[in-house]
Amino acid sequence: MTQRPIFLYALCGSQRQASTSRRLLQALQLACPDGVSIAICDLIGALPTFNPDDEGERTPPVVERFAAEIRKADGLIVSCPEYAHGIPGGFKNALDWLVSRDEVPFKPLMLAHASHRGDLVLAQLTEVLQTMSLHIVADAFLRLPIAGKSDEAQAAMLLEARENGLLSGGLSRFAQTIATSA
Ligand SMILES: Cc1cc2nc3c(=O)[nH]c(=O)nc-3n(C[C@H](O)[C@H](O)[C@H](O)COP(=O)(O)O)c2cc1C
């Protein structure tokens, strides 16, 4: 589909084992168009609380690993639930570690949302990520409201979204934007 392989790094805003946000990211992994691959970050829950005193030479190794994965990626996918009308603390903590570094500015980003609710967190994510100079590709936004559904209903919705091209379509638009802007 695209000229060169595109590597996407997916960040999940929920640490829950049965997270619907992560399930959506896993479904996107299976729906990748040719030439596109997705790795899901498993470091967010292991990051220490952000402290500007621990930047530079004192940066914790796990933060360096996280930042190195972000640097390698051609684009990021974020799937994040709403907690108390905002961004979950653990996820905001991960973003805070990236604010003063040089990995994220102008990095293309796709938002994938797993709930029919959560418009407040989508607005806050947009504000925060744009403040960090990430490039949110609006055209690639994808919403599949599996949150609150039974396991079977989630599986059926995800399968349908794979079969009707909803997932691959969003990824294709995202990959195309990356390919043409590189
Ligand atoms: C502490 C907490 C606060 C929440 N606050 C909100 C909220 O303000 N608005 C909302 O729509 N959902 C809220 N929810 C519901 C979650 O956004 C919803 O369950 C979401 O699907 C969880 O994502 P996950 O399945 O990826 O973990 C809250 C859930 C928790 C645990």
Side-chain angles (χ1 to χ4, degrees):
M1 187 215 76
T2 51
Q3 307 279 320
R4 61 177 174 90
I6 288 185
F7 168 63
L8 305 176
Y9 195 46
L11 308 179
C12 181
S14 171
Q15 294 304 304
R16 222 161 57 84
Q17 203 187 352
S19 163
T20 51
S21 308
R22 187 174 300 101
R23 196 163 183 186
L24 178 55
L25 293 174
Q26 288 164 340
L28 284 166
Q29 259 181 326
L30 298 175
C32 275
D34 286 349
V36 179
S37 63
I38 300 173
I40 300 176
C41 175
D42 61 359
L43 298 171
I44 291 173
L47 298 174
T49 301
F50 173 67
N51 181 346
D53 291 344
D54 293 335
E55 293 190 287
E57 287 181 1
R58 290 170 52 95
T59 302
V62 65
V63 175
E64 292 290 6
R65 287 216 318 276
F66 177 54
E69 291 299 322
I70 302 262
R71 184 182 298 284
K72 268 196 317 195
D74 298 297
L76 304 179
I77 306 177
V78 165
S79 186
C80 182
E82 179 171 303
Y83 280 3
H85 288 188
I87 300 173
F91 190 64
K92 182 63 165 60
N93 182 59
L95 296 179
D96 286 345
W97 277 112
L98 300 170
V99 168
S100 305
R101 303 181 56 106
D102 68 356
E103 287 85 6
V104 292
F106 313 114
K107 184 85 73 182
L109 185 141
M110 168 181 176
L111 285 170
H113 196 63
S115 175
H116 64 291
R117 296 169 51 179
D119 287 342
L120 289 168
V121 80
L122 287 171
Q124 289 184 28
L125 284 168
T126 300
E127 176 67 22
V128 169
L129 295 167
Q130 285 179 344
T131 299
M132 294 168 66
S133 299
L134 281 139
H135 169 212
I136 299 175
V137 178
D139 199 28
F141 174 71
L142 196 144
R143 184 174 217 152
L144 191 67
I146 56 172
K149 302 276 196 308
S150 70
D151 190 57
E152 294 74 23
Q154 288 180 31
M157 289 175 75
L158 289 165
L159 181 63
E160 187 189 353
R162 253 179 90 183
E163 289 178 352
N164 69 18
L166 181 81
L167 302 180
S168 58
L171 287 169
S172 293
R173 289 190 294 280
F174 189 42
Q176 205 58 51
T177 300
I178 292 171
T180 52
S181 62

